[in-house]
Structures are given as structure tokens and as C-alpha cells.
């Protein structure tokens, strides 16, 4: 049981380049989330998807787009990377009404924009 | 808007001490509260999940309590060990299926 898998684990981009961060979960969870973590700022929500076919903005959505490809996969796209997007990105998933396991996080993608 | 605060931001203790990490939240109408551990450069590991109807959860040397009315949760670590050194994050969900709102964490250092 892999849980939440994120790819890639590390990435260096030049300013203006684009890339997509991939996330997949195998727990049949219906809700998925993208967070970024920055020193002194904690984890902040970028986008989330409460169910397949729906997406909503979180606290810091500017500069990002998301796609809920199917129930398993939720991708995050940077169309034109900026140095301010240097961060660690975490994907998470949960199932509505889950009273036991709560939220499960991936191991993160460390992105540097130069 | 829900806000989550963790105090202290950093804590250093000698091995063997019992310690308490604090978490407070501004809106008491939460669905659940979850404590995580994060090692440097790593992801988040779930430690304990407390539903809004519960008062506490225990796992090994860890005990988490929840007082919704006062907007507080505590994580109690008994007989601390150097391997407990990490950042501990508190997070709340306001409704089922909604995103977690995180505090900024308490960084714990346990010396041998």
C-alpha cells in the first residue's frame, strides 16, 4: 500500500519555465490537496479537490493551476515559474467522514526556481 | 477565519523529561484535529487524530487532548528520547472533507 506518491522528489527550474507536479493516491480517497511549506510560514493550502471533477482555490493559488485527472490523481502545474515559488510542495488526501486515519501526506517535492 | 497557533516555537529538553506541546485554534467548531511529526527534510507523519466528539487519544508515549470549548489541544510526550527530536505540527479541519489548517509547529530537541 503506497499511500500518496509524489513525483518528482527534487526539481530545479529556471525562471519562466513550466512544470507539472504529479500526485497519486491508492487509498480510494475522494479529497485531495496541494500545500506549500516555506520557512516561517508553515504549510499553506494552494488548491484542493473535494471530489473527482471539482477543484477550489486555497490560501495561495496565484501562479498555479490544478487538474483532478481522476479519483487517484491530482496534478499541480506552474505555467511560468518564479523564484517566489521556490518551496517544498506536499500533496495530501483524505476521505470524507474518515474517523480513523485522517489525512495522509506524500513525501514532498523540493522545487528550486533560479 | 480559522487560525492555529502553536507555543512554544522551539523547545529543548534533556532526555527522560515529560513535556507538553500546546496548540490553540480560534474557531471551536472543528471537525477533527490531527498531530503530525516532521523530521528535517522529510514529509509529515501522522501521530494522532482526535475527532470533535473525543477528548483524547493515546498512542504509546504520546497522548493528545482536545478541549473544543477553549480552543485548545495539547500533545503530551512521556519520557522523551533523542529520537523524538523533530517538528510537531498541529492541524484542524473545520468540516469533513475540507483542508487542514496548520499551525507553524514546535521544533523539539531532546538531548542525551
Amino acid at each position: 500500500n503506497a499511500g500518496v506518491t509524489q513525483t518528482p522528489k527534487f526539481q530545479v527550474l529556471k525562471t519562466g519555465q513550466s512544470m507539472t507536479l504529479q500526485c497519486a493516491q491508492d487509498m480510494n480517497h475522494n479529497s485531495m490537496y496541494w500545500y506549500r511549506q516555506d520557512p516561517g510560514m508553515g504549510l499553506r493550502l494552494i488548491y484542493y479537490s473535494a471530489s473527482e471533477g471539482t477543484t477550489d482555490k486555497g490560501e495561495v493559488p496565484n501562479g498555479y493551476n490544478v487538474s483532478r485527472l481522476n479519483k487517484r490523481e491530482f496534478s499541480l502545474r506552474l505555467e511560468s515559474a518564479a523564484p517566489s515559488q521556490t518551496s517544498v510542495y506536499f500533496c495530501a488526501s483524505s476521505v470524507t467522514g474518515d474517523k480513523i486515519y485522517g489525512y495522509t501526506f506524500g513525501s514532498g517535492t523540493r522545487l528550486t526556481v533560479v | 477565519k480559522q487560525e492555529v497557533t502553536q507555543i512554544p516555537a522551539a523547545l529543548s529538553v534533556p532526555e527522560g523529561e515529560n513535556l507538553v506541546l500546546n496548540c490553540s485554534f480560534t474557531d471551536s467548531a472543528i471537525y477533527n484535529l490531527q498531530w503530525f511529526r516532521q523530521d528535517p527534510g522529510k514529509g509529515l507523519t501522522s501521530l494522532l487524530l482526535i475527532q470533535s466528539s473525543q477528548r483524547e487519544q493515546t498512542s504509546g508515549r504520546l497522548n493528545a487532548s482536545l478541549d473544543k470549548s477553549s480552543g485548545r489541544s495539547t500533545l503530551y510526550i512521556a519520557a522523551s528520547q533523542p529520537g523524538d527530536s523533530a517538528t510537531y505540527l498541529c492541524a484542524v479541519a473545520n468540516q469533513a472533507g475540507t483542508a487542514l489548517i496548520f499551525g507553524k509547529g514546535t521544533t523539539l530537541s531532546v538531548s542525551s
Side-chain angles (χ1 to χ4, degrees):
Chain A
N1 190 345
V4 178
T5 302
Q6 292 184 234
T7 55
K9 295 189 182 303
F10 301 92
Q11 185 71 49
V12 178
L13 289 179
K14 294 182 179 180
T15 298
Q17 286 185 318
S18 62
M19 79 161 295
T20 299
L21 281 63
Q22 307 287 352
C23 175
Q25 51 91 9
D26 61 2
M27 297 171 288
N28 201 34
H29 285 177
N30 48 324
S31 299
M32 298 185 73
Y33 316 87
W34 277 104
Y35 290 87
R36 61 178 288 174
Q37 186 177 36
D38 303 289
M41 301 298 293
L43 279 113
R44 294 179 293 170
L45 182 67
I46 305 171
Y47 271 95
Y48 67 100
S49 172
S51 61
E52 186 178 353
T54 68
T55 60
D56 287 286
K57 296 179 180 179
E59 182 183 357
V60 288
N62 291 343
Y64 305 95
N65 285 301
V66 290
S67 295
R68 183 74 182 267
L69 305 172
N70 47 55
K71 190 171 185 179
R72 290 186 64 249
E73 299 172 288
F74 188 38
S75 62
L76 178 71
R77 183 162 178 82
L78 287 70
E79 291 290 352
S80 179
S84 61
Q85 294 178 304
T86 293
S87 187
V88 181
Y89 292 85
F90 289 100
C91 178
S93 68
S94 71
V95 56
T96 303
D98 189 320
K99 294 186 179 299
I100 302 176
Y101 299 109
Y103 297 71
T104 302
F105 280 75
S107 58
T109 295
R110 283 152 182 79
L111 175 66
T112 302
V113 183
V114 298
Chain B
K1 176 186 174 185
Q2 179 73 272
E3 294 182 358
V4 181
T5 303
Q6 292 187 247
I7 295 174
L11 182 63
S12 294
V13 300
E15 182 177 6
E17 271 203 11
N18 302 323
L19 56 99
V20 174
L21 307 181
N22 296 295
C23 173
S24 61
F25 44 95
T26 54
D27 186 347
S28 62
I30 64 170
Y31 178 69
N32 60 32
L33 182 146
Q34 196 161 357
W35 283 93
F36 295 87
R37 167 184 173 140
Q38 186 176 31
D39 293 290
K42 303 295 184 181
L44 280 69
T45 301
S46 179
L47 296 174
L48 290 164
L49 170 71
I50 309 177
Q51 298 295 335
S52 59
S53 58
Q54 297 175 319
R55 296 298 300 270
E56 66 177 354
Q57 282 285 346
T58 298
S59 176
R61 295 183 294 108
L62 305 180
N63 175 277
S65 67
L66 174 64
D67 183 344
K68 275 183 53 179
S69 61
S70 66
R72 295 178 185 275
S73 176
T74 61
L75 179 66
Y76 175 83
I77 303 176
S80 59
Q81 303 171 357
D84 294 330
S85 298
T87 295
Y88 291 81
L89 296 165
C90 169
V92 301
N94 287 340
Q95 298 177 31
T98 60
L100 287 172
I101 300 166
F102 282 85
K104 294 183 179 180
T106 294
T107 299
L108 173 66
S109 176
V110 181
S111 56
S112 56

